[in-house]
């Protein structure tokens, strides 16, 4: 192969993936490490990459302490109840106490944040959300990251983390290839901040044709955050805690602004309110501690999102679908109508395209809602990610090993989707986590923890060989057949992805089985995942673009396996509406009020599962 | 679907190839113009549509569920700091929207952190991030210190 090897050496902080987490890390790192070499490796183009590529209409995590709106502790309570009690409260609190400074900076950089004309405060969508004109949110934060970084490598698909050959369990950089030139890139670095993406497309999507690209989370979020870290042997937490979204049907347009700002509401196909009808039965499943409609009426305590999903799913399964969002009242107000449309144009243009195509005008017709396929990601409103150390001032011993947001691999930090146990971070929280990780990474270097790292030539050449294998396979076996993609020696990335999605859907609780699984199904799923892994050794890529898809699939597969292991381990149904264990249909606080932690041994591929304590640091009462 | 490219408008400049987050806008070697190589991995994020200087790229909704005869066009103007949308329904109805995209000249309001005074040892030893505590509470009231209101372990820790 004529691809060059390009080595970038002497890096202090390598940021892998420049979404909101990575840009936050790169930007802040410059302040704490003015003498340090900061390099970004990004799969696409930093100006439009990650989950916020097309924009965002709201910042969903903003305390507003300057206006006396919320304290960080309030946010911990909210996220904790929404996730049925199981969160990393130290990490959550830490993010919440810093997030406002992030948002205030965004405004200073030019992000248009809407103001309440009466009070002068930011215009609230809900208790935690503020409304923005965020079409250029990503280009603005990318600008900040570019100002801080020494170098930005766009179009680098990072495939593996490099490990230190002189000291076990210490990171030494990363490798990948350029999706334009095909060149092999080696980044030797003292620390790595993983800001890569969570997972869309590991479960079969509702649309499987052309529309399979219209996922709720970006299709380029290829589970690389998890693929990279699991492969390196990092401990992961709460990977079973996948998320299912109730969204406008087919386009997956967001509903937050509709519920909160436009005050729209849902009803079943008969025009009835249905949610509350399911609560008594649901309360028997989860207990009063997690579902207390009366208390929710009296206070601001939210009904957990998964339980509202459960009501929607149950109502549809009872034959009283479709579920509609009642928009006809709100849209009579021209201002609210404008908000409703701009909400989509700012972050889910595909939904506007769909309504235009189907002549749905919410002013005259109530649009349909549905629940999405499951996603695995740690930044939006769920917990999946790496098991990370918390800050030194508040974390209990089991949650603390020296450096904030450092994984169980020395020198490897996380931000955004990569960090487990911190739901409701969203864009601003992810950026904030990146900032926290950057400060900690600089401290790690300054403390002399990154001395004497050795990366052997053997490791570098082994990874190089591995990366290009799919191209070799194609070259060797392609001409055995006349034409087409049916080959006895290999599968292509699309075929592999279809297989992964089908088995995850059927065995791990996807949309076609109404999110239901059990121990038996999960064991079969693991077996099939193992065989798929063998076949992925024979994956073929006809060009560099397919090579990118092949590696995305490998990352997705690794994340899917971890999700299945975790789902098998937690023998209860903690989040009805996200998934169900048919053989353990209740919340079991006695045995499972814990965080699940896994580690895959990089040498043997075996998983070790353990329970970690779920400490509550914040009291009940506001 | 995803995006498609009008043959007569595209001049093969490659702006869309450069920006696409999904790596699916490529140049066709025969026509030397751009096209979408993988519609089922297109998020309809409009990054390429906005970036095209010729307005050569448009979107036709996903064939699985979007009937023909609609259009959602966009004009993003960095100079003015605005974005304009025109939605055309299948039945001919049109709706126009205009939003700001930035309030400052591009990039000029972002500080060079290499040039600001570096952090003191005291800052390094604290929980503060850059520009804190000032930027947490930008009012003239009491500064937020980042200290907790007495976080402590409460009962109910399970193994």
């Amino acid at each position: 192969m004529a691809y060059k090897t390009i080595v970038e050496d002497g890096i202090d902080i390598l940021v892998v993936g420049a979404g909101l987490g990575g840009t936050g890390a790169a930007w802040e790192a410059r302040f704490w490490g003015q003498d340090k070499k900061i390099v970004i490796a990004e799969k696409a183009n930093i100006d439009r990459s990650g989950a916020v590529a097309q924009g965002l209409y709201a910042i969903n995590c903003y305390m507003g302490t300057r206006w006396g709106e919320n304290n960080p502790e309030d946010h911990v309570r909210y996220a904790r109840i929404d996730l049925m009690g199981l969160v990393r409260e130290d990490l959550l609190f830490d993010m919440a106490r810093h997030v406002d400074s992030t948002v205030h900076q965004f405004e200073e950089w030019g992000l248009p944040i809407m103001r309440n004309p009466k009070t002068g405060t930011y215009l609230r969508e809900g208790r935690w959300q503020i409304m923005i004109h965020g079409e250029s949110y990503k280009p603005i934060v990318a600008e900040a990251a570019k100002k801080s970084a020494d170098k930005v490598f766009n179009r680098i698909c990072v495939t593996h983390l490099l490990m230190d050959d002189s000291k076990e369990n210490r990171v030494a950089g990363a490798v990948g290839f350029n999706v334009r030139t095909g060149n092999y890139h080696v980044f030797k670095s003292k620390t790595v901040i993983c800001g890569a993406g969570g997972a869309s497309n590991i479960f079969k999507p509702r649309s499987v044709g052309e529309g399979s690209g219209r996922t709720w989370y970006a299709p380029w979020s290829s589970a690389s955050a998890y693929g990279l870290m699991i492969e390196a042997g990092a401990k992961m937490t709460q990977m079973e805690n996948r998320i299912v979204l109730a969204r406008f049907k087919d386009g997956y347009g967001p509903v937050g602004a509709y519920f909160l700002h436009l005050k729209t509401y849902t009803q079943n196909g008969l025009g009835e309110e249905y949610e509350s009808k399911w609560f008594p039965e649901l309360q028997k499943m989860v207990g009063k501690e997690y579902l207390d409609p009366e208390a929710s009426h009296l206070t601001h305590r939210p009904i957990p999102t998964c339980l509202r999903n459960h009501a929607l799913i149950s109502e549809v399964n009872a034959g009283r679908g479709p579920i509609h969002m009642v928009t006809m009242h709100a849209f009579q107000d021209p201002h609210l109508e404008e908000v409703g449309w701009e909400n989509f144009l700012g972050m889910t243009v595909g939904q506007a395209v769909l309504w235009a195509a189907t002549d749905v005008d919410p002013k005259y017709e109530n649009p349909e809602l549905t629940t999405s396929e499951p996603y695995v990601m740690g930044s939006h409103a769920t917990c999946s990610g790496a098991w990370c150390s918390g800050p030194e001032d508040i974390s209990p011993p089991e949650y603390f090993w020296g450096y904030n947001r450092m994984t169980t691999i020395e020198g490897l930090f996380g931000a955004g989707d990569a960090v487990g146990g911190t739901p409701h971070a969203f864009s601003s929280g992810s950026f904030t986590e990146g900032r926290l990780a950057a400060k900690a990474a600089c401290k790690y270097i300054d403390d002399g923890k990154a001395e004497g790292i050795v990366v052997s030539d053997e490791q570098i050449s082994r990874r190089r060989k591995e990366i290009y294998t799919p191209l070799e396979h194609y070259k060797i076996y392609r001409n055995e057949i006349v034409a087409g993609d049916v080959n006895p020696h290999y599968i292509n990335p699309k075929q592999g992805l279809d297989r992964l999605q089908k088995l995850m859907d059927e065995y791990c609780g996807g949309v076609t089985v109404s999110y239901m699984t059990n121990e038996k199904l999960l064991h079969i799923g693991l077996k099939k995942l193992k065989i798929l892994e063998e076949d992925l050794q024979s994956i073929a890529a006809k060009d560099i673009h397919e090579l990118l898809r092949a590696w995305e699939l490998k990352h997705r597969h690794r994340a899917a396996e971890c999700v299945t292991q975790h789902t098998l381990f937690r023998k209860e149904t903690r989040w009805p509406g996200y998934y169900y264990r048919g053989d353990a249909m209740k919340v079991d606080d006695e045995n499972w009020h814990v965080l699940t932690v896994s580690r895959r041994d990089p040498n043997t591929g075996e998983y070790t599962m353990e329970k970690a304590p779920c400490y509550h640091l914040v009291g009940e009462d506001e | 679907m995803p995006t498609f490219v009008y043959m007569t408008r595209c001049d093969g400049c490659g702006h869309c190839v450069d920006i696409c987050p999904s790596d699916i806008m490529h140049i066709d070697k025969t026509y030397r113009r751009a096209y979408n190589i993988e519609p089922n991995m297109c998020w309809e994020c409009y990054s390429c549509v906005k970036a095209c200087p010729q307005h050569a790229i448009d979107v036709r909704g996903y064939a699985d569920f979007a009937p023909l005869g609609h259009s959602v066009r966009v004009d993003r103007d960095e100079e003015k700091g605005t974005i304009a949308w025109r939605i055309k329904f299948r039945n001919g109805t049109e709706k126009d929207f205009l939003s700001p995209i930035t309030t400052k000249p591009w990039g000029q309001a972002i500080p060079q952190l290499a040039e600001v005074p570096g952090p003191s040892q005291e800052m390094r030893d604290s929980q503060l991030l850059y520009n804190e505590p000032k930027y947490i509470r930008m009012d003239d009231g009491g500064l937020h210190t980042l200290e907790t209101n007495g976080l402590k372990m409460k009962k109910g820790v399970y193994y």
Side-chain angles (χ1 to χ4, degrees):
Chain A
M1 292 241 178
Y3 298 126
K4 291 187 202 124
T5 295
I6 296 168
V7 181
E8 190 69 31
D9 207 346
I11 305 170
D12 290 298
I13 295 175
L14 173 68
V15 177
V16 173
L20 265 280
T23 47
W27 186 72
E28 182 86 15
R30 177 55 68 216
F31 178 68
W32 300 99
Q34 291 184 322
D35 55 342
K36 293 189 169 41
K37 183 173 175 183
I38 302 160
V39 172
I40 294 173
E42 160 60 47
K43 185 169 72 172
N45 180 328
I46 187 170
D47 287 342
R48 291 276 181 191
S49 68
V52 184
Q54 65 176 312
L56 215 55
Y57 198 73
I59 288 177
N60 284 351
C61 181
Y62 177 71
M63 302 299 116
T65 18
R66 76 195 259 197
W67 291 303
E69 291 174 329
N70 295 293
N71 286 317
E73 291 88 345
D74 301 327
H75 191 255
V76 174
R77 281 186 205 98
Y78 157 70
R80 176 172 68 198
I81 184 67
D82 192 52
L83 274 295
M84 305 292 284
L86 307 186
V87 290
R88 275 283 301 274
E89 295 190 14
D90 58 333
L91 297 173
L92 260 177
F93 177 84
D94 190 34
M95 178 192 74
R97 67 179 161 178
H98 292 286
V99 75
D100 283 17
S101 76
T102 295
V103 175
H104 298 152
Q105 272 167 166
F106 288 164
E107 187 179 37
E108 206 159 87
W109 297 347
L111 181 70
I113 302 182
M114 297 182 208
R115 295 263 182 171
N116 181 328
K118 288 196 193 88
T119 59
T121 59
Y122 292 154
L123 185 61
R124 280 280 179 198
E125 187 181 281
R127 182 170 176 184
W128 307 103
Q129 302 83 353
I130 53 174
M131 291 164 78
I132 62 174
H133 290 291
E135 189 279 337
S136 294
Y137 193 173
K138 185 65 214 293
I140 290 168
V141 298
E143 196 68 43
K146 287 190 286 191
K147 274 197 163 170
S148 277
D150 289 277
K151 281 189 180 175
V152 179
F153 288 83
N154 281 330
R155 301 290 169 191
I156 303 288
C157 170
V158 172
T159 57
H160 303 85
L161 294 169
L162 281 174
M163 299 305 282
D164 182 3
D165 285 307
S166 72
K167 186 176 181 211
E168 193 139 344
N169 198 41
R170 186 162 70 161
V171 82
V175 295
F177 62 95
N178 183 308
V179 306
R180 293 277 182 267
T181 62
N183 289 335
Y184 177 52
H185 282 259
V186 179
F187 300 93
K188 294 183 178 176
S189 182
K190 288 180 173 174
T191 62
V192 175
I193 299 177
C194 181
S200 65
N201 259 329
I202 59 173
F203 285 85
K204 182 190 279 177
R206 279 192 183 267
S207 294
V208 292
E210 205 178 70
S212 62
R214 178 88 291 278
T215 42
W216 163 77
Y217 207 46
W220 44 84
S221 291
S222 53
S224 297
Y226 311 134
L228 291 168
M229 296 190 298
I230 296 167
E231 281 280 329
K235 284 186 174 179
M236 306 300 286
T237 187
Q238 298 298 89
M239 291 297 283
E240 71 281 18
N241 186 190
R242 76 287 302 266
I243 187 167
V244 168
L245 296 303
R247 291 291 183 267
F248 287 107
K249 188 171 180 296
D250 297 335
Y252 292 151
V255 295
Y258 282 72
F259 278 131
L260 298 165
H261 187 72
L262 277 58
K263 303 283 185 272
T264 62
Y265 53 93
T266 57
Q267 55 183 210
N268 67 12
L270 306 169
E272 302 160 338
E273 188 278 328
Y274 63 90
E275 241 180 38
S276 59
K277 285 192 300 195
W278 292 99
F279 289 162
E281 191 188 335
L282 193 50
Q283 202 177 49
K284 288 181 201 151
M285 264 173 83
V286 302
K288 200 170 172 177
E289 189 183 340
Y290 299 109
L291 178 61
D292 191 346
E294 264 176 55
S296 293
H297 269 304
L298 298 171
T299 63
H300 288 296
R301 195 180 126 129
I303 304 267
T305 310
C306 60
L307 304 184
R308 300 186 61 199
N309 273 2
H310 172 83
L312 195 156
I313 296 161
S314 307
E315 191 68 10
V316 171
N317 287 348
R320 288 188 293 274
I323 303 301
H324 285 118
M325 180 76 100
V326 181
T327 52
M328 284 157 66
H329 305 309
F331 272 61
Q332 300 310 316
D333 175 339
H335 162 71
L336 293 182
E337 181 186 22
E338 192 178 356
V339 169
W341 279 101
E342 286 189 357
N343 190 284
F344 293 162
L345 298 172
M347 57 178 156
T348 315
V349 190
Q351 186 71 50
V353 173
L354 176 62
W355 280 359
T358 48
D359 285 339
V360 169
D361 186 339
K363 206 194 285 192
Y364 307 114
E365 179 178 345
N366 294 328
E368 281 179 66
L369 293 183
T370 192
T371 49
S372 72
E373 66 276 5
Y375 295 81
V376 182
M377 41 88 73
S379 66
H380 186 87
T382 179
C383 281
S384 313
W387 183 242
C388 289
S389 175
E392 43 277 279
D393 64 333
I394 51 174
S395 298
E398 288 96 333
Y399 294 175
F400 181 71
W401 45 96
Y403 298 93
N404 202 354
R405 262 64 179 184
M406 189 167 86
T407 66
T408 54
I409 293 174
E410 286 180 49
L412 175 63
F413 296 78
D417 280 339
V419 176
T422 54
H424 294 273
F426 301 107
S427 62
S428 51
S430 296
F431 193 93
T432 304
E433 278 198 320
R435 296 175 67 198
L436 292 163
K439 181 181 179 181
C442 288
K443 185 172 188 295
Y444 173 90
I445 297 167
D446 294 339
D447 288 351
K449 301 281 185 182
E451 298 305 313
I453 294 177
V454 177
V455 181
S456 66
D457 290 347
E458 183 278 328
Q459 187 182 176
I460 290 173
S461 56
R462 176 163 45 92
R463 290 303 186 202
R464 178 180 167 122
K465 190 171 178 303
E466 205 178 332
I467 285 174
Y468 295 114
T469 302
L471 292 172
E472 292 286 326
H473 273 294
Y474 184 81
K475 219 157 67 181
I476 295 166
Y477 297 114
R478 159 65 190 87
N479 290 331
E480 243 182 68
I481 58 168
V482 177
D485 294 320
V486 185
N487 192 299
H489 299 287
Y490 62 67
I491 52 172
N492 68 25
K494 175 73 178 85
Q495 292 161 342
L497 185 65
D498 287 344
R499 189 155 130 203
L500 175 70
Q501 290 177 344
K502 181 174 160 64
L503 83 86
M504 285 301 285
D505 177 79
E506 290 167 0
Y507 296 103
C508 200
V511 71
T512 69
V513 294
S514 273
Y515 315 104
M516 180 62 75
T517 184
N518 63 34
E519 188 163 339
K520 266 215 161 72
L521 286 162
L522 290 161
H523 277 298
I524 300 170
L526 283 173
K527 200 167 134 190
K528 288 180 184 264
L529 280 164
K530 202 84 201 140
I531 298 167
L532 175 56
E533 185 168 356
E534 287 168 19
D535 281 4
L536 289 183
Q537 301 299 315
S538 310
I539 198 163
K542 67 174 186 285
D543 55 23
I544 295 294
H545 176 73
E546 271 206 346
L547 188 64
L548 164 71
R549 294 288 182 250
W551 280 102
E552 286 178 336
L553 176 59
K554 284 173 189 255
H555 288 167
R556 281 189 166 106
H557 170 272
R558 185 63 70 222
E561 178 189 60
C562 188
V563 168
T564 311
Q565 289 280 6
H566 272 256
T567 309
L568 182 62
F569 183 60
R570 181 179 287 284
K571 292 183 174 50
E572 63 160 354
T573 299
R574 171 65 52 170
W575 305 276
Y578 290 165
Y579 78 94
Y580 303 86
R581 275 283 303 254
D583 48 355
M585 281 294 278
K586 286 192 165 166
V587 166
D588 177 4
D589 258 351
E590 200 167 323
N591 297 300
W592 290 101
H593 196 99
V594 294
L595 300 168
T596 55
V597 176
S598 68
R599 182 176 184 272
R600 176 184 176 273
D601 184 321
N603 301 317
T604 65
E606 292 302 311
Y607 279 80
T608 315
M609 304 296 309
E610 56 180 319
K611 294 177 176 185
C614 179
Y615 286 129
H616 297 302
L617 307 174
V618 172
E620 291 286 350
D621 306 318
E622 294 196 9
Chain B
M1 167 157 165
T3 54
F4 62 92
V5 182
Y6 284 109
M7 175 75 93
T8 53
R9 291 186 204 161
C10 173
D11 64 2
C13 75
H15 280 25
C16 57
V17 180
D18 187 45
I19 202 70
C20 173
S22 199
D23 188 41
I24 57 179
M25 296 306 290
H26 285 214
I27 301 287
D28 179 274
K29 289 190 168 52
T30 309
Y31 297 109
R32 295 191 191 169
R33 289 171 175 84
Y35 77 114
N36 181 337
I37 62 164
E38 202 179 7
N40 61 2
M41 286 298 275
C42 175
W43 207 32
E44 287 183 357
C45 78
Y46 273 67
S47 295
C48 61
V49 180
K50 293 166 186 172
C52 178
Q54 308 297 335
H55 293 294
I57 310 179
D58 204 345
V59 164
R60 190 267 286 140
Y62 302 100
D64 310 33
F65 45 75
L68 296 171
H70 57 274
S71 88
V72 175
R73 304 287 304 198
V74 62
D75 185 24
R76 181 173 180 270
D77 190 331
E78 289 206 350
E79 293 282 306
K80 283 192 208 150
T82 57
I83 189 156
W85 296 91
R86 171 160 294 176
I87 302 175
K88 198 163 141 278
F89 286 64
R90 183 177 157 92
N91 63 14
T93 308
E94 284 191 12
K95 288 181 191 289
D96 292 336
F97 297 96
L98 182 74
S99 302
I101 57 175
T102 183
T103 59
K104 301 272 168 80
W106 290 98
Q108 290 176 28
I110 300 170
Q112 282 280 11
L113 294 189
E115 290 161 15
V116 303
S120 63
Q121 192 54 45
E122 193 187 353
M123 250 192 113
R124 287 183 187 276
D125 294 337
S126 74
Q127 290 299 323
L128 296 169
L129 293 175
Y130 168 68
N131 248 344
E132 290 182 352
K134 181 173 163 240
Y135 268 63
I136 295 176
R137 296 196 60 148
M138 302 182 70
D139 52 3
D140 298 329
L143 287 177
H144 194 74
T145 59
L146 295 186
E147 278 176 20
T148 72
N149 295 338
L151 292 194
K152 53 186 179 294
M153 216 82 75
K154 79 179 190 58
K155 63 170 180 30
V157 175
Y158 301 85
Y159 282 87

